[in-house]
């Protein structure tokens, strides 16, 4: 169903309707999907408990909307072109009908293992088609998927499996990433040693390595599906039944499981996909994210398939075998919409320009950015060199919690302004709040970015801990959803994201809580205490700077630093390794024992004076010591 807005005037009209008559607006959009039973009310909500219900009383199965619905007209249409890690490896394409049958077979396979509606299934997989099949097989039978990015360590995996009490893990023997191979199965083996909830591990053969098999528990993926029927009745789900859990980092404690539900998520991901990317039938769309992040969930899997799109999925990385890999893939599949992260752009800008100019890239109609602020230099390069100055560049701001894009231009329709995400999508009511929590209405201003009204794909809770959801998102400012970001709004009402205002850092578009990295460091035998802050990094956006108190240990400093770095790899994953580790005697604290992060942030940023008010510092001499040992 075509849900596209065609002009800026229509956008203004639809936006206004969505704010003044949200029920009517969303009722119209939702009616274009296939429901087993219509809803009784469009939205019921309060941001105090919080309680958010969309399309209550409605029943559906999302997979019927993204597979069955397309079979008659588009069964032979390509759903995905899968591009392997290396250009010489064999790539594959899968039609909607083939995908449908694969999903049904695995859904039946899961059922044969006793997986039922509401059970949690953890997916720890490479970027292969079977990952999509696994996600959809869960959704087909009403099981809740919890995808863990395959760059997380076994400890991180273990924490998430325990929190979700997952029954099954779907994984692979390993994966290809550039010139490296990563062993996934043995990570799973270690992770689940302590996870009593796990009954089975389904293992896809990707590398032809022969992983250890624990009999009865471990099952070969292909063996499981080979004798299964290729039809599987879709489980009937209430609109507010859980669709998936996705863990994400916050400013405190362990990562939390953000919960998304079936009806609202379906409506919003499809609506936002078609509008933001202005996807037209027969276009080829490519989102380079990993399926393990929300961007992959919403804009590789759900949004495109719900809209009957053809997409590219890429197994590898942008710099292998060389920095022209993305541009070569765009030409190979004649990609029309290309969606990536600023980190990738910044890294690819540094390669020989010939890698870009030797490709045609004329298929591109739109280019997009997501995950972190895009700096002006990267914006201009992307727009001029890749978009040839004639493709709209959309900068899309959103979060794991929002489920779909919130602030963004609609490709080719809305005005563009370098480094600005732009206007809210219909249905999204953003406000800027001041320090007192009052709405700021003046033009050209900055504040804390909050959302005033629910939208269909917003998080409903954090798994197993509703209080945490309330405290994290709904308690800072009464009556608002707090995003954790600071933003600027210009005189025309366009938004620009400044960055996180809490203790969350965004490294290469990957989100980490400083507390989470500190916890990992503090488990190291040398570490007594630590403080982690972000600092500007030319490629990654933000780098991780760790100050670690180690006491009076005599030893090789580099060895200690390596050991601390290894602890972060072990407890979180290589992706969270600090860029800089400085060993210190103590951390600057106030008399009441609070670490003065503001000062540590300044030092990490290279600003070694003007620390503002330091009168509450317990031991000012520590600052001098830290400055002396600062890591350049
Ligand atoms: O700080 C914002 C930043 O990424 C955070 C959300 O991270 P995550 O849940 O991992 O989702 C990332 C992909 C949707 C936000 O709070 N962020 C995301 N997109 C942008 C952004 N910052 C600036 N500009 C963006 N376009």
């Amino acid at each position: 169903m075509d849900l596209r807005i065609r002009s800026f005037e229509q956008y203004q009209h639809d936006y206004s309707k969505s704010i003044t008559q949200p029920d009517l607006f969303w009722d119209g959009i939702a009616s274009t999907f296939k429901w087993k039973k219509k809803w009784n009310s469009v939205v019921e909500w309060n941001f105090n408990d919080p309680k958010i219900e969309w399309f209550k009383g409605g029943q559906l199965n999302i997979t019927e909307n993204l597979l069955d619905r397309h079979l008659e007209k588009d069964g032979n249409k390509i759903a995905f072109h899968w591009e392997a890690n290396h250009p010489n490896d064999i790539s594959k394409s899968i039609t909607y009908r083939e995908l449908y049958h694969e999903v049904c077979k695995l859904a039946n396979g899961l059922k044969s293992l006793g997986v039922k509606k509401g059970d949690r299934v953890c997916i720890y997989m490479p970027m292969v088609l079977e990952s999509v099949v696994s996600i959809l097989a869960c959704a087909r039978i009403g099981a809740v998927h919890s995808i863990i990015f395959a760059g997380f360590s076994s400890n991180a995996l273990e924490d998430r499996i325990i929190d979700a009490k997952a029954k099954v893990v779907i994984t692979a023997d390993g994966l290809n990433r550039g010139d490296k191979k990563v062993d996934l199965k043995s990570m799973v083996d270690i992770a689940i040693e302590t996870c009593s909830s796990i009954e089975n591990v389904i293992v896809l053969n990707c590398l032809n390595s022969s992983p250890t098999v624990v009999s009865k528990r471990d099952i070969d993926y292909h063996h499981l599906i080979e004798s299964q029927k290729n039809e599987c009745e879709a489980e009937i789900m209430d609109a507010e039944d859980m669709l998936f859990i996705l863990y994400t980092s916050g400013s405190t404690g362990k990562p939390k499981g953000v919960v998304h539900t079936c009806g609202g998520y379906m409506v919003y991901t499809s609506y936002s996909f078609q509008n933001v990317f202005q996807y037209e039938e027969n276009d080829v769309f490519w989102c380079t994210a990993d399926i393990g992040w929300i961007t992959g969930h919403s804009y590789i899997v759900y949004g495109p398939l719900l809209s009957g799109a053809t997409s590219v999925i890429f197994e590898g990385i942008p710099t292998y075998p060389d920095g022209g890999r993305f541009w070569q893939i765009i030409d190979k599949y004649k990609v029309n919409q290309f969606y990536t992260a600023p980190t990738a752009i910044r890294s690819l800008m540094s390669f020989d320009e010939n890698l870009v100019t030797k490709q045609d890239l004329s298929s591109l109609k739109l280019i997009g950015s997501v995950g972190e602020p895009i700096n002006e230099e990267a914006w201009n390069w992307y727009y001029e060199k890749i978009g040839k100055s004639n493709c709209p560049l959309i900068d899309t701001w959103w979060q794991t919690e929002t489920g779909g894009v919130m602030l963004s231009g609609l490709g080719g329709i809305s005005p563009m302004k370098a480094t600005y995400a732009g206007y809210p999508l219909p249905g999204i009511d953003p406000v800027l709040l001041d320090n007192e929590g009052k709405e700021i209405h003046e033009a050209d201003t900055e504040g804390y970015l909050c959302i005033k009204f629910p939208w269909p794909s917003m998080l409903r809770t954090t798994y197993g801990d509703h209080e945490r959801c309330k405290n994290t998102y709904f308690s800072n400012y009464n009556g608002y959803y707090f995003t954790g970001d600071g933003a600027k709004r210009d005189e025309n009402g366009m938004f620009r994201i400044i960055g996180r205002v809490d203790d969350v850092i965004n490294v290469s578009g990957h989100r980490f809580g400083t507390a989470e990295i500190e916890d990992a460091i503090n488990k190291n035998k040398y570490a007594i205490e630590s403080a982690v802050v972000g600092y500007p990094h030319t490629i990654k956006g933000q780098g991780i700077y760790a100050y670690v108190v180690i006491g009076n240990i005599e030893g090789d400093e580099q060895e200690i630093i390596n050991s601390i770095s290894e602890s972060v790899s072990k407890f979180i994953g290589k992706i969270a390794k600090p860029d800089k580790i400085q060993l210190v005697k103590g951390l600057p604290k106030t008399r009441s024992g609070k670490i003065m992060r503001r000062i540590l942030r300044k030092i990490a940023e290279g600003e070694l004076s003007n620390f503002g008010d330091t009168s509450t510092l317990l031991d000012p001499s520590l600052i001098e010591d830290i400055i002396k040992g600062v890591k350049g």
Side-chain angles (χ1 to χ4, degrees):
M1 189 70 192
D2 190 350
L3 298 170
R4 260 181 320 139
I5 292 170
R6 308 294 170 121
S7 65
F8 195 57
E9 289 68 42
Q10 191 193 342
Y11 160 75
Q12 287 170 315
H13 169 269
D14 287 9
Y15 185 77
S16 145
K17 178 176 169 188
S18 75
I19 300 299
T20 53
Q21 298 169 289
D23 282 40
L24 197 63
F25 178 78
W26 288 114
D27 192 87
I29 309 275
S31 300
T32 64
F33 293 85
K34 186 175 157 145
W35 295 78
K36 300 239 190 219
K37 183 168 163 269
K38 193 169 163 143
W39 49 92
N40 306 321
S41 67
V42 174
V43 55
E44 288 179 20
W45 66 288
N46 77 68
F47 278 177
N48 300 323
D49 294 339
K51 191 167 170 66
I52 297 127
E53 293 171 306
W54 281 89
F55 312 113
K56 198 173 161 187
Q59 290 185 326
L60 75 155
N61 186 292
I62 197 166
T63 67
E64 289 197 327
N65 281 276
L66 50 77
L67 292 172
D68 312 42
R69 192 162 62 126
H70 305 310
L71 292 186
E72 199 179 320
K73 181 170 154 276
D74 284 328
N76 295 328
K77 185 172 177 179
I78 301 291
F80 290 108
H81 294 292
W82 177 74
E83 175 69 15
N85 182 49
H86 193 280
N88 296 343
D89 295 342
I90 296 169
S91 51
K92 281 188 253 183
S93 298
I94 188 166
T95 64
Y96 272 88
R97 180 162 293 105
E98 287 164 342
L99 183 61
Y100 165 78
H101 288 311
E102 289 301 304
V103 167
C104 287
K105 281 197 267 179
L106 183 60
N108 287 325
L110 287 169
K111 275 187 175 174
S112 74
L113 298 176
V115 179
K116 298 181 303 299
K117 177 175 176 176
D119 286 342
R120 275 80 54 215
V121 173
C122 171
I123 299 175
Y124 186 62
M125 298 272 276
M127 285 290 287
V128 290
L129 291 172
E130 289 83 353
S131 300
V132 179
V133 173
S134 302
I135 293 168
L136 300 181
C138 290
R140 188 79 180 172
I141 62 170
V144 177
H145 57 78
S146 165
I147 309 180
I148 316 294
F149 172 59
F152 280 118
S153 69
S154 53
N155 281 87
L157 180 62
E158 176 186 355
D159 288 346
R160 288 158 174 78
I161 292 175
I162 291 175
D163 190 76
K165 298 186 192 65
K167 193 167 184 177
V168 169
V169 180
I170 310 180
T171 189
D173 53 347
L175 62 78
N176 291 299
R177 188 171 284 148
D179 57 4
K180 296 193 182 64
K181 294 198 186 305
V182 181
D183 179 349
L184 293 180
K185 173 61 169 48
S186 59
M187 302 274 255
V188 173
D189 287 341
I190 299 167
I192 63 177
E193 269 170 20
T194 57
C195 303
S196 54
S197 61
I198 293 293
E199 294 176 9
N200 291 107
V201 178
I202 302 172
V203 188
L204 178 74
N205 176 4
C206 285
L207 300 184
N208 263 333
S209 58
S210 314
T212 340
V213 176
V214 176
S215 89
K216 297 215 172 88
R217 188 197 71 184
D218 297 354
I219 298 156
D220 176 75
Y221 181 102
H222 286 289
H223 189 243
L224 176 68
I225 63 167
E226 71 193 352
S227 55
Q228 301 294 341
K229 286 211 210 86
N230 64 5
E231 300 278 346
C232 172
E233 200 171 322
E235 185 73 37
I236 298 177
M237 305 295 284
D238 286 337
E240 281 300 335
D241 277 341
M242 254 194 285
L243 176 63
F244 66 84
I245 304 171
L246 182 56
Y247 285 85
T248 192
S249 301
S251 45
T252 54
K254 289 199 168 172
K256 49 192 170 292
V258 166
V259 169
H260 284 288
T261 55
C262 297
Y265 182 81
M266 170 179 78
V267 170
Y268 195 76
T269 49
S270 182
Y271 178 74
S272 57
F273 170 74
Q274 292 185 35
N275 279 296
V276 168
F277 301 103
Q278 287 291 301
Y279 182 87
E280 290 178 80
E281 214 184 334
N282 301 325
D283 282 349
V284 177
F285 174 78
W286 182 19
C287 164
T288 69
D290 191 282
I291 271 175
W293 308 113
I294 191 68
T295 311
H297 284 60
S298 300
Y299 299 113
I300 294 179
V301 183
Y302 287 107
L305 291 178
L306 284 162
S307 309
T310 297
S311 302
V312 173
I313 295 195
F314 176 40
E315 182 185 28
I317 56 170
T319 49
Y320 176 78
D322 61 40
R325 188 73 168 115
F326 272 3
W327 323 131
Q328 179 241 331
I329 296 174
I330 290 175
D331 276 2
K332 177 170 175 184
Y333 296 103
K334 307 224 171 339
V335 170
N336 302 112
Q337 290 93 359
F338 176 67
Y339 190 36
T340 196
T343 295
I345 298 300
R346 285 190 295 263
S347 131
L348 298 177
M349 276 164 67
S350 61
F351 286 83
D352 186 348
E353 207 175 305
N354 180 38
L355 292 170
V356 177
T357 50
K358 76 175 188 191
Q359 302 295 342
D360 177 37
L361 304 183
S362 64
S363 59
L364 287 174
K365 297 203 277 194
L366 171 144
I367 51 179
S369 171
V370 60
E372 28 163 347
I374 179 162
N375 51 307
E376 201 155 348
E377 201 191 345
W379 198 101
N380 288 333
W381 186 87
Y382 193 23
Y383 183 67
E384 287 162 19
K385 305 289 182 209
I386 305 306
K388 312 290 182 205
S389 302
N390 64 18
C391 288
L393 193 174
I394 49 156
D395 177 10
T396 64
W397 172 85
W398 57 295
Q399 310 177 296
T400 305
E401 295 85 345
T402 70
V405 173
M406 303 286 280
L407 300 174
S408 167
L410 308 185
I413 286 177
S414 317
M416 251 185 336
K417 183 167 169 183
T419 76
Y420 276 69
Y423 293 108
L425 260 71
I428 309 306
D429 196 357
V431 289
L432 296 181
L433 301 187
D434 65 15
N435 282 328
E436 273 77 54
K438 293 218 175 57
E439 286 186 26
I440 313 172
H441 293 289
E442 293 91 69
D444 204 7
T445 188
E446 282 182 21
Y448 300 111
L449 179 61
C450 291
I451 318 284
K452 218 172 157 165
F453 193 83
W455 61 99
S457 65
M458 77 182 294
L459 88 161
R460 302 299 196 260
T461 187
T462 46
Y463 190 73
D465 193 351
H466 194 61
E467 203 55 24
R468 190 164 178 208
C469 171
K470 178 177 173 170
N471 292 336
T472 313
Y473 306 106
F474 298 94
S475 298
N476 298 52
Y477 304 103
N478 251 341
Y480 298 91
Y481 165 81
F482 175 47
T483 64
D485 280 309
K488 178 177 162 60
R489 192 178 48 216
D490 75 2
E491 59 288 356
N492 300 314
M494 290 177 90
F495 285 87
R496 174 188 186 169
I497 303 302
I498 299 167
R500 300 290 303 199
V501 292
D502 52 8
D503 289 321
V504 168
I505 47 184
N506 195 326
V507 184
S508 303
H510 300 159
R511 177 172 158 184
F512 299 106
T514 52
E516 184 189 354
I517 303 175
E518 287 161 10
D519 276 354
I521 292 176
N522 297 347
K523 287 185 181 136
N524 181 274
K525 61 181 179 196
Y526 297 112
I528 296 173
E529 196 184 10
S530 60
V532 165
V533 296
Y535 71 97
H537 188 287
T538 42
I539 304 285
K540 298 176 173 185
Q542 276 189 300
I544 303 174
Y545 197 119
Y547 299 89
V548 186
V549 182
I550 59 156
N552 285 327
I553 294 164
E554 299 291 318
D556 179 43
E557 182 175 327
Q558 196 50 49
E559 222 168 82
I560 297 174
I561 289 176
N562 293 345
S563 159
I564 290 169
S565 183
E566 272 316 304
S567 290
V568 179
S569 275
K570 176 169 187 286
F571 293 108
I572 305 176
K574 286 199 179 82
I575 45 171
K577 270 189 178 184
D579 300 271
K580 296 179 185 179
I581 296 176
Q582 182 179 351
L583 306 181
V584 295
K585 279 197 215 132
L587 296 170
K589 289 187 181 168
T590 61
R591 281 171 227 285
S592 57
K594 225 173 150 234
I595 298 172
M596 287 189 88
R597 288 174 184 277
R598 178 173 57 81
I599 296 181
L600 294 175
R601 238 177 259 130
K602 283 206 160 176
I603 297 176
E605 284 164 11
E607 205 180 315
L608 304 180
S609 55
N610 294 329
F611 294 132
D613 181 11
T614 52
S615 58
T616 55
L617 263 179
L618 190 62
D619 181 0
S621 74
L622 280 174
I623 304 274
E624 294 306 312
D625 282 348
I626 292 177
I627 289 175
K628 272 190 219 136
V630 85
K631 294 278 166 179

